[in-house]
Amino acid sequence: MFDGMHRRIVSIWFPRLASDRALRLRPVEAPFALSLTRAGVERIHCLNLAAVSRGLHRGMGLADARALCPDLLSRPADPAADARFLRALCRWATRYCPWAGIEGEDGLVLDITGAAHLFGGEAEMLADMRARLLRAGIAARLGLAATRGAAWALARHGEGVAAPGADPLQALGHLPVRALRLEEDTAAALDRLGLRSVADLAARPRAPLARRFGPELLKRLDQALGAEAEAIAPVAEPPHYAVRLSLPDPIGLVSDVMAGTGRLLEALCARLKDRQDGARVLRLTLNRVDGDSRQVELRLARPLHEPARILPLFERGVAGVEAGFGIDRLRLEAVQVEPLPPCQTGFHGGDRTDGLDDLISRIGTRIGLENIRRFLPADSHIPERSFLIAPAAWSEPGGAWIVPHPRPLRLFPPEPIAGTGPQPPGRFRWRRMTLETARATGPERIAPEWWLEDEAWRSGLRDYWRIETRQGRRLWLFHTPQAPGWFVQGEFA
């Protein structure tokens, strides 16, 4: 046995982490579940106690759950938000010890060796953890032991405490083999062999187990019993990018503030470049001598760490700041940061899209980056679905538009016109104009996409025609053969 038996490890398991997070701000007493789509089937991802009491369980199909529990409330799960919430809980756990790490998707592990006396003892520390989590509306189960594996097993299969210096097998022997963090297939195979508890497994010869199940089984057993060490890696805090500049005398001119901002940018961008990161959102705080402060926030179309490209974008915001009796301190912070690894540049020393990105950033400071959008090609032959509209700052230009037939520059909802027969009408009225057909090209038959719900296409097939009128209008008409009728849906340039 290694000398780490004197260590004390706490494992915290959150059995309903996702649903507890979703219900913290808007609690409900009714059955509630979060769902995720897996293999084309919407299944329950997490649920509250009320839903469990009605016979629902994790992994159950949402349709089956609604049939069993008609008053079930549900919403889509957000695994990314759950991961951020777990990281926040990990930071909270450092109030008990400096070594706190994340264990899986719903657990924490803490090395409280030498820290329990600060809270009056181990029992008092665990009671404080439970009370604080309960007040926050978070269900938790705790396990305390000398090893990480034993603490994990006690939290998930017993919620108990292994006494210091005691034989770990006494605390874990009655637990199922799944408490050793085994794969489900391995645990099921051991169960079929009659090895249902940790004590049963520990009593068997090791060589046959290793030959049949591989070294991972014995490794997990040794980690739980303390025969093999297992480290705890604390969660590293993301780097914080912020610099400040204190001035001996107050300043108020835009040129002086921009000069100070330039000095801060040089230092900040040097740190960003060293870590291969780029700033996406920057915040400049100007502290005035009267104790008040003003902020200038800059949102960039692309992550950057080039001071020469960023500094001019601050000028408009700085010019609108009221300096009062003067500004004596400046602080620049990279609020949002994204990875920006080095990339190969061309012979001209820069990317040909740099100018466009800077233009988007300049316009975005006036009207908002989310209001600058671009059209992207989509894989659909339905005219309304053949393109996507995405914010330019959070999307890349699409590839070449592959269109087998010309498409109009302007599309609008179909507008009915008078016409009979499958051929385009020679004369018709549209938007209070009388038009005569000079040339007609078509038809191009487009069938609806049956796998998508679209009310506008429930009428069936459409035969599209390109019409040139004697009055100069170039229109896009279609005819519906199953329910005869003519419509105008677009206009060419």
Side-chain angles (χ1 to χ4, degrees):
M1 309 289 277
F2 72 104
D3 58 4
M5 287 296 294
H6 298 291
R7 297 173 65 194
R8 300 299 284 169
I9 308 298
V10 173
S11 178
I12 306 177
W13 177 42
F14 306 104
R16 296 182 295 277
L17 177 70
S19 60
D20 287 345
R21 180 195 64 80
L23 295 175
R24 285 186 69 208
L25 298 179
R26 300 178 61 183
V28 297
E29 299 295 334
F32 175 83
L34 297 172
S35 62
L36 277 179
T37 301
R38 298 172 182 170
V41 179
E42 195 171 8
R43 298 187 178 277
I44 292 180
H45 172 67
C46 192
L47 62 170
N48 65 354
L49 281 176
V52 174
S53 64
R54 300 286 290 272
L56 309 185
H57 58 84
R58 193 168 185 169
M60 185 179 188
L62 186 61
D64 297 336
R66 291 192 182 281
L68 186 62
C69 181
D71 57 340
L72 176 67
L73 303 177
S74 67
R75 73 176 70 161
D78 189 350
D82 297 336
R84 292 193 298 268
F85 185 58
L86 186 60
R87 288 185 67 91
L89 289 173
C90 186
R91 290 194 297 270
W92 165 81
T94 57
R95 74 184 311 274
Y96 298 102
C97 65
W99 291 88
I102 292 176
E103 198 158 38
E105 298 179 352
D106 54 3
L108 300 177
V109 56
L110 288 70
D111 189 342
I112 64 168
T113 306
H117 70 281
L118 300 175
F119 296 84
E122 293 178 349
E124 289 76 8
M125 176 185 280
L126 295 182
D128 186 73
M129 291 181 185
R130 288 191 182 94
R132 291 179 180 273
L133 290 170
L134 183 61
R135 285 197 299 270
I138 305 170
R141 297 176 63 178
L142 283 66
L144 174 60
T147 65
R148 180 175 180 176
W152 189 95
L154 290 173
R156 288 162 172 78
H157 296 272
E159 191 174 14
V161 176
D167 184 3
L169 191 57
Q170 294 181 356
L172 305 180
H174 66 285
L175 299 181
V177 291
R178 286 175 174 80
L180 297 177
R181 298 175 291 174
L182 302 177
E183 296 290 339
E184 185 61 31
D185 294 343
T186 302
L190 290 171
D191 189 70
R192 288 194 297 270
L193 292 175
L195 304 177
R196 296 181 173 85
S197 67
V198 176
D200 295 339
L201 184 64
R204 301 290 296 181
R206 297 171 63 90
L209 293 174
R211 284 195 300 268
R212 178 159 185 172
F213 297 100
E216 184 67 19
L217 172 62
L218 298 180
K219 176 183 176 181
R220 289 302 191 187
L221 178 62
D222 291 340
Q223 287 175 342
L225 299 182
E228 183 174 336
E230 187 175 8
I232 297 177
V235 177
E237 289 293 329
H240 182 65
Y241 298 104
V243 291
R244 65 178 61 192
L245 176 65
S246 297
L247 304 170
D249 296 311
I251 60 175
L253 297 177
V254 173
S255 58
D256 294 338
V257 177
M258 290 297 293
T261 305
R263 291 180 57 183
L264 294 176
L265 270 174
E266 292 287 347
L268 183 67
C269 289
R271 293 175 56 188
L272 289 168
K273 194 173 296 184
D274 289 342
R275 290 183 174 269
Q276 297 186 8
D277 287 332
R280 194 65 185 266
V281 180
L282 292 161
R283 182 182 297 140
L284 175 65
T285 304
L286 308 174
N287 294 297
R288 306 193 313 190
V289 295
D290 59 1
D292 200 0
S293 64
R294 297 291 186 269
Q295 290 185 343
V296 178
E297 187 171 281
L298 178 63
R299 301 170 66 193
L300 302 174
R302 290 288 182 272
L304 295 177
H305 52 214
E306 291 87 5
R309 294 179 60 187
I310 300 175
L311 182 59
L313 303 175
F314 269 111
E315 188 169 0
R316 181 174 181 270
V318 170
V321 171
E322 175 60 45
F325 295 103
I327 297 169
D328 61 356
R329 189 171 59 185
L330 290 78
R331 185 177 186 272
L332 183 63
E333 178 185 7
V335 179
Q336 182 179 340
V337 177
E338 296 180 5
L340 186 61
C343 59
Q344 181 68 40
T345 60
F347 292 106
H348 300 289
D351 192 341
R352 59 187 180 90
T353 64
D354 289 351
L356 177 60
D357 294 338
D358 292 346
L359 176 62
I360 293 174
S361 297
R362 285 183 178 275
I363 299 176
T365 58
R366 296 174 178 266
I367 65 173
L369 284 177
E370 63 278 359
N371 294 321
I372 305 173
R373 305 176 183 180
R374 62 161 51 100
F375 289 89
L376 301 175
D379 187 15
S380 177
H381 58 271
I382 301 298
E384 299 91 332
R385 299 180 180 272
S386 61
F387 63 91
L388 300 173
I389 301 177
W394 290 279
S395 62
E396 296 292 337
W401 290 72
I402 302 176
V403 181
H405 301 280
R407 291 290 183 261
L409 184 62
R410 294 177 55 221
L411 276 176
F412 40 79
E415 301 175 1
I417 60 173
T420 58
Q423 297 298 317
R427 183 184 179 92
F428 59 92
R429 284 185 61 81
W430 175 67
R431 294 185 178 179
R432 299 183 180 180
M433 295 182 292
T434 301
L435 304 175
E436 296 181 5
T437 302
R439 182 180 179 184
T441 305
E444 175 193 353
R445 174 160 289 188
I446 298 180
E449 296 174 339
W450 56 266
W451 56 92
L452 297 176
E453 292 291 338
D454 192 338
E455 293 292 338
W457 279 82
R458 286 187 179 275
S459 57
L461 301 173
R462 294 182 182 180
D463 291 333
Y464 279 88
W465 294 78
R466 300 195 305 275
I467 302 297
E468 296 181 13
T469 66
R470 299 186 186 279
Q471 289 75 19
R473 296 279 183 172
R474 301 175 65 240
L475 304 177
W476 206 36
L477 278 63
F478 70 84
H479 175 252
T480 52
Q482 62 283 340
W486 281 92
F487 301 85
V488 182
Q489 192 180 1
E491 185 172 9
F492 293 90

